[in-house]
Amino acid sequence: MRPVIITCAPTGGIHTPTMSEHLPITPDEIAQASIEAAEAGAAIIHLHARNPATGQPDPRPELFQQFLPRIAAACDAVVNVSTGGGLGMTREERLRAAVATSPEMASLNVGSMNFGIFPMAAKYSSWKYDWEPQFLEMTRDFIFRNTFADLEYVVKELGQGHGTKFEFECYDLGHLYNLAWLIDQGWIEPPFFVQLVFGVLGGVGADLDNLQHLHTIADKLFGVDYEWSVLAAGRHQMPFATSAAMLGGNLRVGLEDSLYLGPGELAASNAAQVRKIRGIVESLGHRIATPAEARERLGLKG
Ligand code: KMH
Ligand code: ZN
């Protein structure tokens, strides 16, 4: 079995500071959370920025520039800058930080979808939290836009323009075929890093049969020239991360995806989630990948 690449996503653009006092918001907090997560075993850190005063997701490169150099100085983890941003940002806003900082990796969400975190979504959403009502209501009429033109724009701008490789986030089966289409255009080079996402309403639910099927289809579409990883929202985070490792894949944790460490227990830090999943996978006989191993396997520019 190849060593498991752990990605940690410390803050994201979905959870609000009212939901957990442990969610990192300021550049200082994001830097510290990232460094601790890397020390705990995360080889890749997936990053968003937030307005330090309001906690809202914020696309300004100057915010990223306050924490990225600190992370690079303190550890050798791979930095992955989100192009998902926050709900309602334009395509240009979502890309600003990655274009300005030219990271080794950036996320790319490989399809448009509903993104439901309103109360009626609870049954099939893995996030079962007390969300803020006005925020929830907004997602009833929201499309998470990633058209074919958007995908082309991002891979040309960042991939071809900056040598950035992607965390291709696939929330449903069709997104794997969108990625296959992108590959067919000749715009991106292997190895590909496919992040299978479970438990966001609008995408595929957190059912292990879905994990098996998406993994099977990804193998068929991408052959040996790819690495796959799993993230699941909320309460499915740890079970799905464990399942991915057991099936020979990689995994992502972090407060972006779940505020909890276990049932009813808020995670006191991102590092606590990394330590927990690392303990689980190591106790089952797996080794975790170093950043250097992740760079090599993902073909990063370093
Ligand atoms: N919050 C995750 C479910 C991105 O940053 O590009 C999706 C995500 C999007 O990570
Ligand atoms: Zn993200």
Side-chain angles (χ1 to χ4, degrees):
M1 281 289 189
R2 289 199 292 179
V4 178
I5 300 171
I6 298 180
T7 298
C8 180
T11 186
I14 302 287
H15 294 136
T16 61
T18 52
M19 298 167 77
S20 169
E21 60 176 326
H22 308 297
L23 189 68
I25 299 296
T26 66
D28 270 1
E29 290 167 350
I30 292 171
Q32 194 189 337
S34 302
I35 294 162
E36 286 172 9
E39 286 168 353
I44 302 175
I45 310 290
H46 166 112
L47 287 158
H48 296 238
R50 290 176 181 259
N51 180 315
T54 65
Q56 295 277 350
D58 194 319
R60 284 177 293 162
E62 52 268 38
L63 286 170
F64 284 81
Q65 272 147 355
Q66 287 177 48
F67 53 76
L68 293 183
R70 283 186 54 190
I71 297 168
C75 66
D76 66 346
V78 173
V79 162
N80 169 349
V81 172
S82 169
T83 68
L87 302 179
M89 285 183 196
T90 64
R91 178 173 80 177
E92 283 68 25
E93 284 174 330
R94 285 165 55 180
L95 232 63
R96 273 179 71 192
V99 167
T101 58
S102 198
E104 288 181 86
M105 287 196 91
S107 67
L108 177 52
N109 299 274
V110 204
S112 302
M113 58 186 277
N114 295 341
F115 203 105
I117 44 181
F118 53 95
M120 297 262 302
K123 185 171 175 201
Y124 290 110
S125 167
S126 297
W127 280 314
K128 285 197 190 298
Y129 303 158
D130 292 329
W131 297 89
E132 290 189 14
Q134 75 283 8
F135 176 66
L136 296 182
E137 198 52 26
M138 189 178 119
T139 70
R140 287 183 66 237
D141 202 17
F142 170 73
I143 293 174
F144 186 34
R145 184 197 145 125
N146 301 285
T147 64
F148 290 112
D150 292 337
L151 302 181
E152 177 178 352
Y153 175 78
V154 176
V155 296
K156 288 191 172 166
E157 193 76 19
L158 275 179
Q160 296 178 359
H162 291 261
T164 296
K165 298 280 277 185
F166 296 99
E167 175 195 17
F168 291 104
E169 298 201 26
C170 297
Y171 300 70
D172 211 339
L173 187 60
H175 295 185
L176 294 176
Y177 289 89
N178 293 349
L179 175 54
W181 171 82
L182 266 180
I183 295 168
D184 281 352
Q185 305 314 302
W187 296 328
I188 45 177
E189 294 294 325
F192 308 109
F193 186 50
V194 177
Q195 189 72 262
L196 304 175
V197 181
F198 299 88
V200 175
L201 190 74
V204 75
D207 185 313
L208 284 175
D209 286 338
N210 289 333
L211 169 51
Q212 287 279 10
H213 187 57
L214 266 69
H215 173 216
T216 302
I217 299 299
D219 273 355
K220 284 189 183 177
L221 292 174
F222 312 125
V224 292
D225 260 352
Y226 92 113
E227 291 275 348
W228 64 285
S229 178
V230 165
L231 82 84
R235 67 194 187 283
H236 292 112
Q237 181 184 64
M238 292 292 167
F240 269 63
T242 305
S243 302
M246 295 306 98
L247 292 168
N250 305 291
L251 62 93
R252 171 170 137 178
V253 293
L255 271 62
E256 168 163 352
D257 304 329
S258 172
L259 295 173
Y260 285 80
L261 189 62
E265 184 189 359
L266 280 176
S269 66
N270 279 275
Q273 289 185 344
V274 175
R275 278 193 291 273
K276 176 167 177 166
I277 196 64
R278 177 183 185 163
I280 293 170
V281 300
E282 286 183 341
S283 74
L284 294 170
H286 293 260
R287 187 166 78 70
I288 61 161
T290 63
E293 289 170 324
R295 280 190 177 90
E296 217 238 300
R297 281 162 55 187
L298 302 179
L300 304 183
K301 62 183 175 175

